[in-house]
């Protein structure tokens, strides 16, 4: 239909008879949920179903901004079996994150987290361990936000104008020991190592 958003191609990195592994692009919602906004037109679940021409069941999910591998089953029984395997104590869940600042070689967060979508807002145990893989400096461009009460001077960058500056970032491996909503991103925010590009729990 005219005006419809173009459907991206979702890379399939491994195919089996009853499931496959796909590479989710960053910036795409997995399906319609509470994070949806009026600009959202393309969702991974619908795109993959149309691309493969068959029913698909999501074994795991990734946040909108997150790119990475996802397992997709072709029937509900296989989906349940794979989900049980991922939820077992023997399952290892490791993610790679680029965050702001220079991190220690090994660190962790055990800060309890509440479910942001729950009315009760009750905090639950949460544990993430991190291992630093690399540090490097980059140049970023971001809008200028002046300090409150400081008048603008002639020749100075105006509020909202882009300016470039150097930033030290770290590449860390994050291992989940519990599964809370946006756990890695929220723990890194609390540690003042905001995920790079994260507009919800970082500085964009």
């Amino acid at each position: 239909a005219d005006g419809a958003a173009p459907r991206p191609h979702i890379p399939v990195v491994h195919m089996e008879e009853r499931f496959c592994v796909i590479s989710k692009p960053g910036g795409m919602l997995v399906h319609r949920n509470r994070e949806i906004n009026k600009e959202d037109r393309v969702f991974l679940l619908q795109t993959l179903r149309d691309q493969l021409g068959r029913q698909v069941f999501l074994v795991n999910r990734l946040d909108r901004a997150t790119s990475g591998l996802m397992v997709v089953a072709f029937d509900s029984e296989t989906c349940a079996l794979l989900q049980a395997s991922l939820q077992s104590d023997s399952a290892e869940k490791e993610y790679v994150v680029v965050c702001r600042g220079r991190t220690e070689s090994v660190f962790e967060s055990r800060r309890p987290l509440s479910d942001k979508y729950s009315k009760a807002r009750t905090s639950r145990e949460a544990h993430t361990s991190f291992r630093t893989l690399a540090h490097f400096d980059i140049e970023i461009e971001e809008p200028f936000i002046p300090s409150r009460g400081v008048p603008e001077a002639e020749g100075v960058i105006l509020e909202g104008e882009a300016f470039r500056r150097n930033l030290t970032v770290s590449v860390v491996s994050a291992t989940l020991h519990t599964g809370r909503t946006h756990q890695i991103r929220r723990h890194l925010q609390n540690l003042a190592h905001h995920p790079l590009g994260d507009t919800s729990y970082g500085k964009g």
Side-chain angles (χ1 to χ4, degrees), residues 39-129:
E39 287 80 26
D40 290 317
R41 296 289 186 274
V42 178
F43 304 92
L44 184 138
L45 185 63
Q46 296 169 313
T47 301
L48 192 61
R49 181 191 61 200
D50 295 343
Q51 178 179 314
L52 298 178
R54 62 194 304 179
Q55 190 72 12
V56 292
F57 299 81
L58 299 177
V59 175
N60 67 310
R61 292 168 173 76
L62 294 176
D63 297 335
R64 178 205 294 271
T66 305
S67 62
L69 300 180
M70 291 181 57
V71 182
V72 179
F74 301 136
D75 61 82
S76 58
E77 181 182 358
T78 300
C79 182
L81 290 171
L82 291 172
Q83 286 178 337
S85 296
L86 285 177
Q87 293 167 5
S88 69
D89 293 337
S90 61
E92 295 183 5
K93 301 176 183 179
E94 186 175 351
Y95 301 79
V96 176
V97 188
V98 180
C99 60
R100 292 175 181 249
R102 191 175 187 87
T103 55
E104 297 180 12
S105 58
V106 177
F107 59 106
E108 68 174 5
S109 176
R110 293 179 178 268
R111 181 182 176 88
L113 297 174
S114 61
D115 184 348
K116 62 179 293 186
Y117 298 117
S118 170
K119 293 181 180 179
R121 305 289 289 183
T122 303
S123 293
R124 302 171 63 191
E125 176 189 0
H127 180 201
T128 313
S129 58

Side-chain angles (χ1 to χ4, degrees), residues 8 11 24 26 32-33 59 65 80 83 85 101 103 117 121 137 147 153 166 169:
K24 174 192 173 297
R32 296 177 184 272
N33 58 30
V59 175
Q83 286 178 337
S85 296
T103 55
Y117 298 117
R121 305 289 289 183
D137 295 323
S147 301
N166 292 325
V169 299

